[in-house]
Amino acid sequence: MTLQNRRQFAASLTAAPLFCASAAQDDAGPLSPASLIADLTAVTAVSRRAKADGLLDYGRVPGTIYDGMTASWLERRFREAGLSEVRQDPYHLPDPEWMLDAVSLDIDTGTGILPMSSAFTPDQSPVTPPDGITAELIDIGDGSAEARAGRDLSGKIVLVHSRVEGIAYDHPARTLVPELEQTGIAGLILAIRQPGDPQTRYAVQPGPLRFRVTRAPWVTISGADARTLSTLIDQAPVSARLKATVKVQGRITPPGRSQNVMGILPGRTDEVILITAHTDSRWEGATDNASGISLLLGLAQHFASRPRPERTLVFVATGGHHNGPSSGQKRIIAAHPGLIARCALIVNLEHVGSREPDGRGGLQAAAGPNVMFVPNQNPALLRLVEEGVAAHDVPVLRPVQTFWTADYYVHARLATPAVMILQPSFWYHTEADTLDKIDPAGLSAMARLHADIIAGADQVSRADLRLGVPSLSYGT
């Protein structure tokens, strides 16, 4: 998703009316809270294994053994669900991976060294000597031209505050970092300031999409650590300027191999409904995207236990969402042209079921609101989504979005009808995206909603599904 699209999206949600209705909760079967949470727990356990093995940038990272472990587990679960032609489809990832070996941010307070525990460098950075670089630390506010006016930044480690109301990934300082790098700074501390300032580590980019800082090593820190730094800077005597030491050690590894995992539930015809969810994650990745994988498995089991569908249901767990990006979806298109030619509908499962902060240091009782994507504004799909929302007590925001995004955006130019109901999770690309954030009842409601949409769309002709206003508005 482009930064412009994300901001338009966020703006549309600010004043968006919320709709939900009540419905009974199933307590058994593959779409039940217990069943879905069991699978979600198994997926996040792979990430916790990576952490236990000592990876700083841990998770189900594309091209690693943990990526492969997730795929092998899914292959077994697809077979147990009763799908046919279950297989892994390996492929070469297009991009190298940044592997972080060491990172720290230490502040010399004059009376001792204070480490900033949230310091992290999630994307490619210039590396420092083994002991890091030490320089004067200055706070330049939001990093704007006005905040920098008259200040000599050359040779300094600068602290920039980037305030966001929702998803940290699109922090506003992204547009300013290329300018900052030209000022001769020695290092960059990018503070992500979210409501509540959670003490967490962030996986955000320092600048625009695909931008790489080439001169100054950089770290992100939490809003809580940023407040501490600002206070120390303000209290430091003019004669004893505060100093910081930044250490970043990392390397670029050659592109590895990932895989899609595919299973098929034959229908009465060879027309296809393609149901996808990406497997890879940053850190534990409970919402992004163990939640989608749990729905994918639940739906596979659900439909395998029911009368044969009209269309063939193809379930694909894609790799490489964070490499390419969405290289797993690109692999589907390249490796299975016949399947794509017969595809009547794409259903993408991503980011669902997480609870947001309650403003008092805890979590809300239920999962947060979702956003509906129907790129071609198809009347039948819109009706099915609205009916499912009303039946299963799923909170959604208005209006329905029509641009292509997330893991399935690469299908935009094929103009295949698609549906996605995505939660703009507060925890997106943070280390706090953990299992405890997931609402089991909300996860189950989303699974049952998707089951209704798929079953309903299976009864709509392909020609009727293509009616609407095809959209080529998309981002990465």
Side-chain angles (χ1 to χ4, degrees):
M1 191 190 300
T2 64
L3 186 56
Q4 180 181 7
N5 266 346
R6 286 185 188 271
R7 287 183 173 165
Q8 291 172 345
F9 174 35
S12 75
L13 301 186
T14 302
L18 181 66
F19 175 82
C20 63
S22 60
Q25 173 71 58
D26 294 336
D27 59 4
L31 304 185
S32 69
S35 179
L36 295 167
I37 288 293
D39 285 332
L40 194 150
T41 301
V43 176
T44 55
V46 176
S47 295
R48 292 191 294 275
R49 164 74 179 273
K51 181 180 182 179
D53 287 348
L55 270 70
L56 285 177
D57 196 1
Y58 62 88
R60 302 178 298 278
V61 177
T64 66
I65 61 171
Y66 310 100
D67 183 28
M69 288 168 59
T70 309
S72 295
W73 179 82
L74 279 163
E75 181 181 11
R76 174 175 63 81
R77 297 291 283 123
F78 273 178
R79 294 185 191 281
E80 291 173 352
L83 302 185
S84 63
E85 300 181 50
V86 175
R87 61 192 181 277
Q88 292 190 37
D89 180 13
Y91 66 93
H92 291 281
L93 291 164
D95 291 344
E97 288 286 340
W98 163 252
M99 299 298 291
L100 183 64
D101 295 321
V103 60
S104 62
L105 172 61
D106 294 325
I107 311 303
D108 185 349
T109 66
T111 59
I113 300 300
L114 178 65
M116 296 288 102
S117 62
S118 65
F120 197 70
T121 306
D123 203 355
Q124 186 174 347
S125 169
V127 298
T128 65
D131 292 333
I133 59 167
T134 301
E136 180 185 343
L137 172 63
I138 61 173
D139 186 337
I140 58 170
D142 64 4
S144 63
E146 292 78 13
R148 305 194 312 262
R151 309 189 73 174
D152 178 16
L153 306 186
S154 180
K156 311 293 196 306
I157 295 174
V158 299
L159 169 64
V160 178
H161 301 262
S162 201
R163 300 178 186 274
V164 290
E165 290 303 315
I167 296 173
Y169 193 78
D170 294 321
H171 63 91
R174 280 177 70 172
T175 61
L176 302 173
V177 170
E179 297 175 24
L180 283 172
E181 196 178 19
Q182 303 305 313
T183 65
I185 59 175
L188 170 65
I189 304 170
L190 184 59
I192 304 300
R193 302 293 295 268
Q194 281 185 305
D197 284 338
Q199 181 72 16
T200 187
R201 296 195 293 181
Y202 291 88
V204 302
Q205 292 179 303
L209 191 66
R210 304 298 236 175
F211 176 81
R212 296 288 183 261
V213 176
T214 59
R215 302 182 184 184
W218 62 277
V219 297
T220 62
I221 62 172
S222 70
D225 275 352
R227 285 200 306 275
T228 299
L229 285 189
S230 293
T231 300
L232 289 172
I233 293 170
D234 290 343
Q235 294 177 348
V238 175
S239 59
R241 299 186 185 278
L242 206 65
K243 290 190 175 182
T245 300
V246 174
K247 179 169 71 173
V248 177
Q249 294 286 296
R251 55 206 154 83
I252 297 296
T253 61
R257 285 166 64 87
S258 187
Q259 61 287 306
N260 293 336
V261 185
M262 180 179 292
I264 294 175
L265 185 62
R268 300 178 189 278
T269 72
D270 65 355
E271 282 190 8
V272 165
I273 294 179
L274 178 63
I275 306 163
T276 68
H278 75 79
T279 60
D280 51 311
S281 76
R282 303 300 297 261
W283 292 314
E284 190 168 313
T287 309
D288 181 18
N289 186 37
S291 65
I293 291 297
S294 70
L295 261 63
L296 185 75
L297 286 171
L299 290 167
Q301 293 172 306
H302 171 77
F303 283 105
S305 66
R306 297 174 65 83
R308 191 176 186 184
E310 188 67 21
R311 293 188 176 95
T312 294
L313 305 184
V314 179
F315 297 87
V316 184
T318 62
H321 171 67
H322 297 96
N323 185 298
S326 300
S327 57
Q329 293 280 3
K330 294 171 184 175
R331 173 67 182 181
I332 297 173
I333 294 171
H336 303 283
L339 182 153
I340 295 300
R342 302 192 307 274
C343 188
L345 177 68
I346 299 167
V347 178
N348 189 57
L349 307 168
E350 196 164 350
H351 303 188
V352 297
S354 75
R355 301 181 293 162
E356 298 179 352
D358 63 6
R360 302 182 300 276
L363 296 172
Q364 294 179 359
N370 302 274
V371 182
M372 301 186 294
F373 291 82
V374 182
N376 71 345
Q377 304 174 57
N378 177 262
L381 292 176
L382 290 172
R383 174 182 56 80
L384 288 168
V385 171
E386 298 285 4
E387 290 176 351
V389 162
H392 299 296
D393 199 11
V394 172
V396 296
L397 296 162
R398 299 290 188 267
V400 175
Q401 302 294 315
T402 59
F403 61 90
W404 294 77
T405 184
D407 194 52
Y408 74 130
Y409 84 96
V410 295
H411 294 269
R413 294 196 181 280
L414 302 173
T416 306
V419 171
M420 181 176 70
I421 303 171
L422 174 147
Q423 184 184 23
S425 172
F426 183 88
W427 316 107
Y428 179 70
H429 282 212
T430 79
E431 195 176 18
D433 183 11
T434 49
L435 185 62
D436 61 297
K437 305 302 190 307
I438 300 298
D439 170 34
L443 191 68
S444 177
M446 288 295 291
R448 290 177 287 121
L449 166 59
H450 281 89
D452 284 359
I453 292 171
I454 293 166
D458 193 35
Q459 304 304 310
V460 181
S461 73
R462 189 177 184 188
D464 284 345
L465 286 174
R466 297 183 73 88
L467 295 175
V469 184
S471 170
L472 276 180
S473 176
Y474 68 102
T476 57

